[in-house]
């Protein structure tokens, strides 16, 4: 299969932090002598007490433990704020763009952000919040969300952000699990012109959470919402009464920084726990190298702070590096499908980092929405969250980036803290759809299902064989589950849950979660591969493929397909798509069923909920499990009503 390769543009090779030779050399050092490598790169932070120990990690059951820089102390908020005041105090830290066009944007300097964080940290302390205590944050994409995170970090409280799109039940479950007695929220959120009743959701959730005694509420829309005397606090007036001085607490490198809940394949969401020192080194270093970030550049990561990408690449990574980070409250298609690129033009964004699902949605609307904007400021594009199909990659490159901007397709997970497999723009020739090569210190390996190590060009289960500083340290309240989930499948290794192919050039191609791998007539196939082929068809906007039981092949291929808006799907198109996939991949990939669907079931972060599609594919629809986290649960009803009759 002759795939396209995009060489490193010469101006990037010449000017970037690392070129190809530099990458090889740094990578070699990082895996041959991690102690020395991380002792050096650990210096990128301001430590209160410098570390003398670097790496103390084991993935084996007998002496299991993950500790980095363990005897050092630091404060992450000081690393994000105080350290920049002398040199960049008046530089803009956060450029905030509101949901609608009618409201002004906000520019918050490092000095202002420092002051806001100190006042809010003092408010938390006044409310009795102590080091190690959990603070639940349920806020929209407003600068105060970053203020709240940094204020927690300043006093050593552990934040647990719950995405503002989650239901009261989901919020209550997360508050209860980490036993937090304080919740930060706003009256309402604004997204795509619609109001989200955040305070009402909190009031509803707290009926199940008797332990919560304090709610600090930001006024965003000024809506008339309930106010519980003695419990609820008005954010702005209470913070204004606090002093703007708050000395940063001395925090141990292995003291917890945050909890972030994420769903696994089984059970209730896990509280992924990250600690301070290693995470800070990882988030700042990956942000600097992956985006080739230089102070002064305008950088925009379009993720919500409710997801790990928002933690590491909207707030912590960029601010540690003294960046100007854009924070966008809204959605890509409001008021229309030009919005992302209008914001790029408005702020002269140089680096844009987004998700394939948004790109595919915009691609479906046609090129005009993009082309009527300039985007001349863009230098670099990024992708994260799911495999980006080559079709969307090419569109992103050609239409959004005017064939000028490298694309860094960054593979990583909530659990990994930051980017793990990713191109570096000055070093890595790009192959559309491949996350390419490991970041410094990352040792990926591919195993077969029995745990045997596979060499060379092959595909298998993606594991990481040694620890890296940004790795999660535990599941909140369930250390045993941490070990069982990630280190028991393949002994002595971190199991990512992803399937992956490595090509002749040592490039990694994530094929999707392992449970999405299907085996058709003895051929292992990534569902992403078939989806990618389908999406490459001019009439297809999005596709999701699952396995289905098949008498002869073992597993058959069931494809859910969403067409472009102007297309009326019919039997002729179905046949055309079957032939198309056979042509694109080969007869082994022939779809057995194609179901046209106006929408796919997605979580609010845009991930397709394959569990539901798999059940439909398996014709096991009596219990679809929890659908409460879907962005639009009615999508499922439509899928069920329109299942093709199977023989
Ligand atoms: C950062 C984030 C993690 C899962 C991961 C994988 C998928 C993320 C990807 C990617 C292919 C990429 N994933 N980035 N797959 N290429 N560039 O998304 O964290 O929400 O925990 O999801 O997302 O399957 O295992 P998280």
């Amino acid at each position: 299969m002759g795939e396209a390769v995009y060489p490193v543009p010469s101006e990037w090779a010449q000017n970037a932090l690392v070129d190809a030779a530099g990458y090889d050399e740094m990578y070699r050092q990082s895996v041959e002598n991690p102690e020395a490598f991380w002792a050096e790169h650990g210096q990128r932070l301001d430590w209160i007490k410098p570390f003398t120990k670097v790496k103390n990690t084991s993935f084996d059951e007998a002496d299991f433990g993950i500790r980095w820089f363990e005897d050092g102390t630091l404060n992450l908020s000081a690393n994000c704020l105080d350290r920049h005041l002398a040199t960049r105090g008046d530089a803009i830290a956060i450029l905030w763009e509101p949901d609608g066009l009618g409201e002004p944007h906000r520019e918050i300097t490092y000095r202002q952000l420092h002051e806001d964080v100190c006042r809010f940290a003092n408010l938390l302390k006044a409310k009795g919040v102590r080091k190690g205590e959990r603070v639940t944050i349920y806020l929209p994409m407003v600068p105060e969300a970053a203020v709240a995170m940094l204020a927690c970090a300043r006093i050593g409280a552990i934040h647990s952000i719950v995405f503002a799109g989650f239901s009261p039940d989901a919020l209550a479950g997360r508050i209860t699990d980490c036993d937090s007695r304080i919740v930060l929220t706003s009256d309402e959120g604004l997204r795509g012109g619609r109001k989200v009743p955040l305070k009402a959701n909190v009031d509803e959730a707290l009926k199940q959470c008797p332990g919560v005694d304090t709610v600090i509420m930001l006024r965003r829309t000024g809506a008339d919402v309930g106010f519980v005397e003695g419990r609820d606090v008005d954010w702005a007036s209470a913070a204004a009464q606090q002093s703007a001085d708050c000395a940063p607490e001395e925090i141990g490198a292995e003291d917890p920084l945050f909890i972030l809940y994420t769903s696994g394949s089984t059970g209730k969401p896990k509280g992924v726990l990250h600690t301070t020192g290693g995470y800070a080194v990882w988030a700042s270093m990956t942000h600097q190298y992956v985006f080739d970030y230089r102070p002064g550049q305008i950088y925009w990561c379009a993720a919500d702070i409710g997801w790990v990408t928002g933690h590491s690449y909207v707030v912590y990574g960029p601010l540690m590096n003294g960046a100007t980070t854009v924070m966008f409250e809204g959605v890509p298609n409001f008021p229309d499908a030009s919005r992302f690129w209008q914001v790029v033009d408005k702020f002269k964004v140089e680096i844009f980092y987004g998700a394939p699902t948004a790109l595919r949605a915009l691609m479906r609307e046609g090129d005009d929405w993009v082309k009527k904007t300039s985007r001349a400021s863009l230098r670099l594009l990024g992708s994260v969250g799911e495999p980006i199909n080559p079709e969307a990659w090419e569109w992103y490159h050609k239409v959004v980036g005017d064939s000028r901007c490298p694309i860094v397709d960054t593979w990583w997970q909530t659990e990994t803290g930051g980017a793990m497999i990713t191109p570096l723009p000055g070093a890595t020739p790009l192959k559309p759809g491949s996350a390419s090569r490991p970041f410094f210190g990352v040792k990926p390996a591919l195993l077969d299902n029995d745990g045997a190590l596979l060499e060379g060009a092959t595909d298998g289960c993606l594991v990481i064989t040694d620890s890296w500083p940004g790795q999660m340290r535990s599941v909140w309240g369930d250390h045993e589950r941490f070990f069982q989930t990630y280190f028991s499948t393949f002994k002595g290794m971190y199991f990512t849950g992803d399937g992956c192919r490595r090509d002749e050039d040592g490039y990694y191609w994530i094929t999707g979660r392992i449970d999405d791998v299907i085996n058709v007539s003895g051929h292992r196939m990534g569902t992403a591969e078939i989806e990618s082929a389908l999406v490459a068809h001019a009439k297809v906007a999005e596709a999701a493929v699952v396995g289905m039981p098949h008498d002869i092949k073992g597993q058959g291929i069931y494809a859910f397909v969403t067409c472009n808006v102007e297309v009326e799907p019919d039997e002729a198109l179905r046949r055309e798509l079957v032939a198309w996939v056979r042509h694109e991949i080969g007869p082994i990939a022939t779809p057995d069923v194609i179901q046209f669907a106006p929408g796919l079931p997605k979580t609010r972060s845009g991930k397709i909920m394959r569990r539901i599609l798999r059940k439909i594919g398996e014709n096991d629809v009596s219990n679809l499990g929890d659908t409460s986290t879907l962005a639009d649960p009615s999508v499922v009803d439509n899928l069920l009503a329109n299942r093709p009759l199977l023989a």
Side-chain angles (χ1 to χ4, degrees):
M1 194 168 76
E3 67 239 340
V5 179
Y6 290 77
V8 176
S10 61
E11 65 278 16
W12 277 92
Q14 280 155 27
N15 301 324
L17 285 168
V18 279
D19 59 11
Y23 167 79
D24 289 345
E25 177 56 20
M26 272 178 85
Y27 182 74
R28 191 184 58 74
Q29 291 172 2
S30 74
V31 294
E32 282 179 5
N33 193 347
E35 285 275 340
F37 185 87
W38 293 112
E40 179 190 340
H41 290 283
Q43 306 303 333
R44 59 184 299 114
L45 302 181
D46 286 350
W47 295 86
I48 297 172
K49 179 166 154 284
F51 57 86
T52 65
K53 297 181 183 158
V54 177
K55 180 175 188 285
N56 177 7
T57 68
S58 165
F59 291 173
D60 295 326
E61 190 158 17
D63 59 350
F64 181 68
I66 300 164
R67 287 172 286 270
W68 285 89
F69 314 111
E70 60 187 301
D71 62 348
T73 64
L74 72 164
N75 184 283
L76 187 42
S77 110
N79 273 278
C80 289
L81 302 169
D82 308 47
R83 73 187 315 204
H84 303 308
L85 293 182
T87 50
R88 305 186 44 76
D90 297 319
I92 297 172
I94 297 179
L95 258 180
W96 178 74
E97 172 72 4
D99 180 58
L101 297 176
E103 227 182 318
H105 73 268
R106 287 170 63 185
E107 301 182 352
I108 299 160
T109 64
Y110 273 94
R111 201 177 315 286
Q112 182 67 50
L113 187 59
H114 176 262
E115 186 182 320
D116 291 349
V117 167
C118 287
R119 286 190 204 279
F120 199 73
N122 283 329
L123 175 58
L124 290 176
K125 284 201 275 191
K127 292 294 161 192
V129 177
R130 297 285 168 260
K131 185 173 176 224
E133 190 172 330
R134 278 76 55 210
V135 173
T136 297
I137 300 178
Y138 185 65
L139 280 170
M141 283 291 283
V142 289
E144 287 79 3
V147 169
M149 295 165 77
L150 293 162
C152 287
R154 199 159 188 90
I155 65 174
I158 306 170
H159 58 71
S160 165
I161 303 188
V162 179
F163 176 59
F166 275 127
S167 65
D169 265 359
L171 173 62
R174 286 157 173 80
I175 291 171
T176 305
D177 185 82
C178 71
D179 197 13
S180 95
R181 60 163 193 86
I182 179 161
V183 178
L184 316 180
T185 192
S186 68
D187 48 5
E188 293 178 315
L190 275 179
R191 260 171 79 83
R194 280 182 316 201
K195 291 175 172 165
V196 189
L198 296 181
K199 177 56 163 54
N201 287 352
V202 169
D203 288 341
E204 181 66 27
L206 294 192
K207 290 179 185 162
Q208 303 172 45
C209 306
V212 174
D213 59 28
T214 305
V215 175
I216 304 182
M217 184 186 76
L218 180 77
R219 294 252 169 227
R220 172 65 188 100
T221 63
D224 186 15
V225 294
F227 197 89
V228 179
E229 284 306 325
R231 186 196 74 180
D232 296 355
V233 178
D234 178 71
W235 186 305
S237 56
Q241 288 163 19
Q242 299 293 326
S243 152
D245 284 322
C246 177
E249 198 75 34
E250 181 172 358
I251 308 292
E254 283 299 342
D255 288 343
L257 174 67
F258 68 82
I259 299 168
L260 184 56
Y261 287 87
T262 187
S263 31
S265 39
T266 53
K268 62 180 173 107
K270 298 182 281 282
V272 168
L273 182 75
H274 281 285
T275 58
T276 305
Y279 171 82
V281 168
W282 197 254
S284 66
M285 186 162 173
T286 52
H287 174 263
Q288 183 184 8
Y289 282 86
V290 171
F291 299 108
D292 200 66
Y293 189 79
R294 315 298 168 91
Q297 293 178 339
I298 313 290
Y299 159 92
W300 178 14
C301 167
D304 193 283
I305 44 120
W307 313 116
V308 72
T309 308
H311 285 61
S312 300
Y313 299 117
V314 176
V315 179
Y316 287 122
L319 294 181
M320 276 186 276
N321 291 331
T324 296
T325 182
V326 174
M327 200 172 178
F328 176 43
E329 186 181 32
V331 296
N333 58 357
F334 176 80
D336 61 43
S338 277
R339 186 68 187 279
F340 265 6
W341 322 121
Q342 281 164 355
V343 175
V344 164
D345 285 352
K346 177 172 179 181
F347 294 137
K348 304 275 181 290
V349 170
E350 289 161 79
I351 303 165
F352 175 82
Y353 188 30
T357 184
L359 298 172
R360 284 196 301 266
L362 294 176
M363 189 171 145
R364 186 181 177 199
E365 300 291 333
D367 297 0
D368 290 351
W369 296 105
V370 188
K371 287 190 169 152
K372 66 190 209 190
T373 63
S374 155
R375 290 155 289 108
S377 56
L378 286 175
R379 304 174 60 245
L380 179 63
L381 302 170
S383 174
V384 60
E386 54 180 313
I388 180 165
N389 48 298
E391 170 89 343
W393 195 102
E394 297 281 0
W395 182 82
Y396 197 22
H397 187 257
K398 184 160 159 257
V399 181
V400 176
D402 281 328
S403 304
R404 181 184 71 238
C405 308
I407 297 177
V408 287
D409 173 5
T410 61
W411 173 85
W412 59 292
Q413 309 177 299
T414 304
E415 293 88 337
T416 71
M420 297 288 281
I421 299 181
T422 173
L424 302 184
T428 320
L430 305 172
K431 300 188 185 189
S434 171
S436 80
R437 318 259 309 263
F439 191 74
F440 308 127
V442 174
K443 292 171 80 174
L446 301 182
L447 307 181
D448 71 15
N449 286 332
D450 302 320
L453 189 67
L454 303 166
E455 306 281 356
T458 181
D459 60 346
C461 308
L462 178 63
V463 297
I464 311 292
T465 63
D466 198 359
S467 184
W468 64 98
Q471 183 169 25
M472 74 183 278
R473 301 297 198 262
S474 192
V475 170
W476 178 260
D478 198 346
H479 199 56
E480 176 60 21
R481 186 172 174 202
F482 177 49
F483 180 82
Q484 288 304 329
T485 306
Y486 301 102
F487 304 93
S488 67
T489 316
F490 302 111
K491 285 204 171 21
M493 296 175 190
Y494 169 79
F495 178 40
T496 65
D498 279 317
C500 186
R501 173 167 75 87
R502 184 173 50 219
D503 70 16
E504 311 70 36
D505 300 321
Y507 275 49
Y508 290 85
W509 301 70
I510 309 298
T511 48
R513 303 294 299 194
I514 289 296
D515 30 17
D516 297 329
V517 171
I518 51 179
N519 190 324
V520 182
S521 308
H523 297 281
R524 267 181 53 175
M525 248 182 297
T527 49
E529 209 178 327
I530 306 163
E531 289 162 11
S532 187
L534 284 163
V535 177
H537 189 279
K539 292 182 179 163
V540 174
E542 194 153 42
V545 170
V546 297
M548 57 182 278
H550 191 287
D551 283 350
I552 297 166
K553 304 179 188 173
Q555 268 188 312
I557 297 172
Y558 194 123
F560 297 86
V561 170
T562 304
C563 295
N564 287 327
V565 267
E566 73 282 7
V567 175
E568 201 51 70
D570 57 9
E571 175 58 19
L573 179 59
R574 199 193 64 79
R575 282 202 299 269
E576 190 180 322
L577 291 179
V578 170
W580 171 265
V581 175
R582 288 174 63 93
H583 173 258
E584 288 284 294
I585 304 176
I588 52 158
T590 308
D592 296 273
V593 175
I594 290 183
Q595 175 173 353
F596 292 112
L600 298 173
K602 290 188 183 169
T603 63
R604 294 191 180 90
S605 67
K607 284 205 168 56
I608 294 171
M609 236 199 217
R610 293 166 175 285
R611 178 172 58 75
I612 291 173
L613 297 178
R614 241 176 265 128
K615 288 221 171 194
I616 297 175
E618 287 161 12
N619 202 10
D620 171 19
V621 296
S622 55
N623 175 16
L624 289 178
D626 180 17
T627 55
S628 65
T629 58
L630 284 175
D632 176 9
S634 75
V635 162
V636 174
D637 301 332
N638 181 295
L639 289 177
L640 290 176
N642 293 300
R643 276 182 298 159
L645 292 173
L646 300 179

